[in-house]
Amino acid sequence: MTSRLIKLASLSAALVVVALVSGFALWSRSPANLGPANSEDATQLLRHWQAGEVVVLVRHTERCDRSSNPCFGPADGITQVGNDAAIAVGQGFNRLGMAQADVLSSPVTRTAQTSHAMFGKDAMAQDWLATCGKTLRNDVVAHKRAHQNLVLVTHSGCISDFEAQTGYPHAATSEYGSSLFVHIDVNGQLKILGIVKANDWNALLQDSSVQ
């Protein structure tokens, strides 16, 4: 009897450990990092992009009011370092191809500056990309046009809202200039593909099929 109780206690303890480890893994999980990418990652992303089935949430680059680096313009905007980083991120998107892509931006100065540096022109400002909240997932799907990719320049809090509504409630905070890639099919079904950090575009696009 004593031996059976010991075995049951040991089994219970093991199950508790497994549950705690599994719970911690699920609690802290974040979308996959697509860079450095393997050829399968790049091929999958390129296929969805060419079909116009991708939404990308891009965090603005370095804030002037939280950095000692020189401001690019107004104090509520980005730094010169941030402007240079945004230009580099935009080059990555242009290598993917922007012929069938819409660009929307939060109206806040730092996001407007980031999107302009990325693509050389002002994006259409959208208040919902600054307020975000519980309706963000539905707002993103509603603004996605069929066979047309959608680039959304927004804020870390908004990206966190979106991740929480799509299965990543405790994802790590997005970095400056990082891009969250999401596949949305013609039926509005959504799947997060992963994150490309600002410095990882060359790694992602090293596949020879992406020029």
Side-chain angles (χ1 to χ4, degrees), residues 131-134 136-137 155-166 168:
T131 55
C132 304
K134 295 180 179 179
L136 182 59
R137 182 191 185 282
H155 308 266
S156 60
C158 296
I159 295 173
S160 293
D161 287 344
F162 183 84
E163 289 173 328
Q165 295 161 27
T166 53
Y168 297 89

Side-chain angles (χ1 to χ4, degrees), residues 29 31 44 48 53-57 128 135-144 150 152 159 161-168 180-194:
R29 73 185 186 122
Q44 180 186 44
H48 292 319
E53 297 176 345
V54 177
V55 172
V56 194
L57 284 79
W128 60 273
T135 65
L136 182 59
R137 182 191 185 282
N138 293 337
D139 289 335
V140 169
V141 173
H143 285 81
K144 168 72 173 66
L150 179 60
L152 305 172
I159 295 173
D161 287 344
F162 183 84
E163 289 173 328
Q165 295 161 27
T166 53
Y168 297 89
L180 178 68
F181 282 80
V182 184
H183 175 230
I184 300 182
D185 66 21
V186 293
N187 298 314
Q189 297 299 308
L190 182 153
K191 178 183 178 182
I192 289 184
L193 299 175

Side-chain angles (χ1 to χ4, degrees), residues 29-199:
R29 73 185 186 122
S30 297
N33 185 356
L34 296 178
N38 58 45
S39 58
E40 184 177 347
D41 291 329
T43 299
Q44 180 186 44
L45 178 56
L46 180 61
R47 183 174 69 252
H48 292 319
W49 187 266
Q50 290 176 334
E53 297 176 345
V54 177
V55 172
V56 194
L57 284 79
V58 183
R59 186 187 176 187
H60 61 80
T61 51
E62 185 180 63
R63 290 177 60 154
C64 180
D65 60 356
R66 295 185 181 177
S67 173
S68 59
N69 290 321
C71 294
F72 176 69
D76 62 343
I78 60 177
T79 63
Q80 181 62 57
V81 169
N83 186 68
D84 294 342
I87 291 172
V89 172
Q91 290 171 347
F93 276 99
N94 284 319
R95 286 177 65 188
L96 278 179
M98 293 296 293
Q100 58 181 111
D102 297 321
V103 181
L104 303 177
S105 169
S106 154
V108 178
T109 301
R110 57 185 176 272
T111 46
Q113 285 182 327
T114 298
S115 61
H116 189 279
M118 288 170 65
F119 303 113
K121 58 184 178 181
D122 293 335
M124 185 179 295
Q126 300 283 304
D127 288 340
W128 60 273
L129 284 172
T131 55
C132 304
K134 295 180 179 179
T135 65
L136 182 59
R137 182 191 185 282
N138 293 337
D139 289 335
V140 169
V141 173
H143 285 81
K144 168 72 173 66
R145 295 196 292 158
H147 311 299
Q148 192 80 357
N149 299 309
L150 179 60
V151 179
L152 305 172
V153 184
T154 184
H155 308 266
S156 60
C158 296
I159 295 173
S160 293
D161 287 344
F162 183 84
E163 289 173 328
Q165 295 161 27
T166 53
Y168 297 89
H170 306 290
T173 301
S174 59
E175 299 179 7
Y176 286 135
S178 66
S179 302
L180 178 68
F181 282 80
V182 184
H183 175 230
I184 300 182
D185 66 21
V186 293
N187 298 314
Q189 297 299 308
L190 182 153
K191 178 183 178 182
I192 289 184
L193 299 175
I195 296 170
V196 177
K197 297 181 180 180
N199 294 327

